[in-house]
Amino acid sequence: MRLSNLLAVIVTCLGHLTCTAGEFNEVLSIGQVAPAWEKLPGSDGNPHSTGDLKEKQVLVVSFTCLSCPTAIDYEARFDALSKQYGGPDGKVGFVAICVNQIAPDRLDKLTQRAKQQKLSFPYLYDESQKIARDFGATFTPEYFVLDQDRKVVYMGALDDSTDAEKVTRRYVEEAINTSLKGETPEVKETIGRGCRVRYARERK
């Protein structure tokens, strides 16, 4: 485990009697309060913070990018969920966050993509990569479903197949529906699939 991730676990665990990371996540575990972000620039030209979505009963966070083919393949599925459950009057908030520092994944490209595809969710950019490290995100795409208290109720893949026609379990949608009822999903954690988050090497 990287030193930064270990420190994040320690900080997250302060005040708790027990704390363990998830099965596939080195930082977060199910039931922990998710990290917050402040004033991340978005594809709509506005800064975004977690508090902007405080009225939403459920929050879905996607760590994704434009340089990964798998992430692009999943974009439409995430957008469809956002249109189904989100929007100004919806009970669920949707946010996509990119932290890769390469040119194809920077804010100007995210902005172009959001406009071209008429995406229904804000695409945020964090050049510092801090928010992805705080979440323990490993893959693009990787999804986190947070309940009304912003505790993690699910993290991992969107569904059980990269081939949309072969999907039999829609993990994120199941987590959304159970959270809206005040319940916990049957599947709480899966391993993500796609490309690795392009974390910058940390100087020792």
Side-chain angles (χ1 to χ4, degrees):
M1 182 182 295
R2 296 188 180 192
L3 178 59
S4 60
N5 287 351
L6 178 59
L7 290 175
V9 171
I10 294 172
V11 171
T12 303
C13 294
L14 288 177
H16 295 270
L17 294 177
T18 60
C19 182
T20 58
E23 182 180 358
F24 305 112
N25 190 309
E26 294 184 344
V27 176
L28 289 184
S29 64
I30 298 300
Q32 288 184 322
V33 175
W37 59 84
E38 293 290 338
K39 298 180 179 179
L40 290 184
S43 56
D44 57 1
N46 297 317
H48 292 258
S49 302
T50 310
D52 300 336
L53 299 164
K54 62 183 179 181
E55 301 302 324
K56 298 298 183 179
Q57 190 173 337
V58 176
L59 178 57
V60 183
V61 182
S62 168
F63 287 95
T64 186
C65 68
L66 301 181
S67 61
C68 175
T70 305
I72 293 297
D73 287 345
Y74 270 98
E75 182 184 77
R77 284 184 242 183
F78 187 68
D79 190 45
L81 274 180
S82 175
K83 290 175 179 176
Q84 180 179 354
Y85 292 92
D89 300 321
K91 296 181 179 180
V92 184
F94 290 81
V95 174
I97 302 176
C98 180
V99 303
N100 290 349
Q101 298 174 348
I102 62 173
D105 287 332
R106 288 191 173 272
L107 183 60
D108 59 331
K109 299 300 182 182
L110 304 181
T111 300
Q112 291 176 15
R113 181 72 180 182
K115 291 180 179 179
Q116 290 172 353
Q117 301 299 315
K118 297 180 180 179
L119 300 178
S120 58
F121 53 85
Y123 218 140
L124 313 186
Y125 185 63
D126 181 16
E127 185 173 12
S128 75
Q129 301 188 325
K130 182 179 185 302
I131 190 60
R133 292 187 188 277
D134 288 349
F135 267 82
T138 304
F139 296 97
T140 54
E142 189 167 347
Y143 305 87
F144 295 78
V145 180
L146 316 179
D147 66 12
Q148 196 158 26
D149 297 323
R150 297 306 178 248
K151 293 181 179 180
V152 181
V153 297
Y154 172 79
M155 53 186 175
L158 187 78
D159 49 39
D160 64 354
S161 178
T162 52
D163 185 341
E165 296 182 357
K166 296 181 180 180
V167 171
T168 61
R169 294 294 297 270
R170 295 174 171 80
Y171 303 125
V172 168
E173 186 171 4
E174 290 174 17
I176 290 172
N177 287 327
T178 54
S179 295
L180 288 174
K181 297 175 183 178
E183 302 172 354
T184 57
E186 177 184 357
V187 179
K188 298 176 177 62
E189 186 178 1
T190 61
I191 190 168
R193 66 175 67 89
C195 306
R196 291 277 180 171
V197 176
R198 296 173 183 265
Y199 285 118
R201 289 186 178 182
E202 296 179 315
R203 295 182 178 180
K204 298 182 180 179

